[in-house]
């Protein structure tokens, strides 16, 4: 049992380091074109893995084999995202070169404003292509709300700081504070 746990942990570590290597390759390519780096994202990786595994199971190269992209990306908290898929190449480096040579795939690699990436490969020796690749690149959605702090005695304007979700009470507080600041 200990051996199985060790091997499973090793597999996860190797997969994680491989994903980081691929992310580094894509980040280097983006930097060479004056764009920001991307970081590996667990949710986007899960979306990519689902797509790669579905293509490998079905033995087809198809963006919709695991469902529409919009339905698959819905829970990933992105405000924009794109997907590249490939089949039949043997390595990530070969796959990346193929995407770089394809105008549509290259546009996704060089998409402005993205900061997150998920990559996956799945294998099925009983299919034509054997190896199925998926990459999901996107921009993490930033949800903000204003939390107001004010010194009512001095009459200073409220200060805002960024946090995670908007609330009705914050909006009411903001409106009341704005009205108070208008009074003499």
């Amino acid at each position: 049992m200990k051996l199985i746990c060790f091997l499973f942990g090793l597999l996860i570590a190797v997969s994680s380091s491989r994903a980081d290597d691929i992310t580094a390759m894509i980040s280097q390519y983006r930097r060479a074109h004056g764009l920001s780096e991307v970081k590996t994202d667990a949710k986007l990786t899960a979306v990519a893995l689902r797509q790669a595994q579905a293509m490998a199971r079905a033995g087809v190269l198809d963006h919709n084999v695991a469902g529409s992209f919009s339905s698959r990306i819905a829970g990933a908290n992105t405000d924009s995202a794109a997907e590249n898929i490939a089949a039949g190449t043997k390595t990530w480096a070969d796959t990346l070169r193929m995407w770089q040579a394809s105008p549509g795939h290259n546009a996704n690699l060089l998409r402005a404003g993205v900061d997150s990436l998920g990559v996956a490969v799945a294998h099925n020796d009983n299919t034509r292509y054997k190896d199925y690749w998926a990459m999901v690149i996107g921009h993490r959605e930033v949800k903000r709300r204003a939390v107001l702090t004010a010194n009512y005695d001095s009459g200073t304007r409220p200060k805002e700081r960024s946090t995670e979700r908007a609330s009705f009470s914050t909006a009411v507080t903001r409106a009341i504070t704005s009205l108070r600041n208008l009074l003499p």
Side-chain angles (χ1 to χ4, degrees):
M1 184 65 165
K2 288 182 182 180
L3 179 62
I4 292 172
C5 290
F6 172 75
L7 292 175
F8 184 69
L10 185 61
L11 178 65
I12 291 172
V14 168
S15 295
S16 177
S17 67
R18 189 176 298 168
D20 290 341
D21 290 345
I22 297 154
T23 300
M25 290 169 51
I26 293 171
S27 287
Q28 180 181 4
Y29 182 65
R30 290 177 53 79
R31 280 192 315 272
H33 288 84
L35 296 168
S36 63
E37 294 184 354
V38 290
K39 303 254 186 261
T40 302
D41 179 83
K43 287 184 179 184
L44 295 184
T45 299
V47 173
L49 182 60
R50 177 179 170 197
Q51 177 65 21
Q53 289 175 336
M55 291 188 302
R57 268 192 309 276
V60 297
L61 179 66
D62 181 354
H63 280 282
N64 295 315
V65 71
S68 70
F69 182 64
S70 60
S71 70
R72 290 184 285 114
I73 199 74
N77 301 326
T78 62
D79 53 23
S80 69
E83 175 181 68
N84 284 356
I85 58 174
T89 51
K90 299 297 180 203
T91 66
W92 271 111
D94 291 342
T95 305
L96 183 56
R97 277 191 292 275
M98 185 177 71
W99 286 338
Q100 290 168 340
S102 163
H105 293 101
N106 195 52
N108 288 343
L109 290 169
L110 299 177
R111 190 177 179 119
V114 298
D115 57 9
S116 304
L117 180 77
V119 293
V121 61
H123 308 281
N124 184 345
D125 287 332
N126 299 320
T127 64
R128 174 182 173 195
Y129 297 114
K130 312 286 187 247
D131 300 308
Y132 297 83
W133 310 86
M135 177 203 78
V136 178
I137 192 166
H139 180 262
R140 299 294 296 162
E141 181 177 41
V142 178
K143 294 183 179 177
R144 297 179 184 268
R145 72 173 169 147
V147 176
L148 303 176
T149 58
N151 182 343
Y152 296 112
D153 295 333
S154 67
T156 60
R157 289 185 54 111
K159 298 176 186 174
E160 296 183 10
R161 64 181 170 89
S162 178
T163 62
E164 283 277 324
R165 298 200 188 253
S167 71
F168 179 74
S169 62
T170 300
V172 170
T173 302
R174 177 183 234 171
I176 291 170
T177 302
S178 294
L179 290 172
R180 284 184 180 164
N181 287 337
L182 293 174
L183 296 174

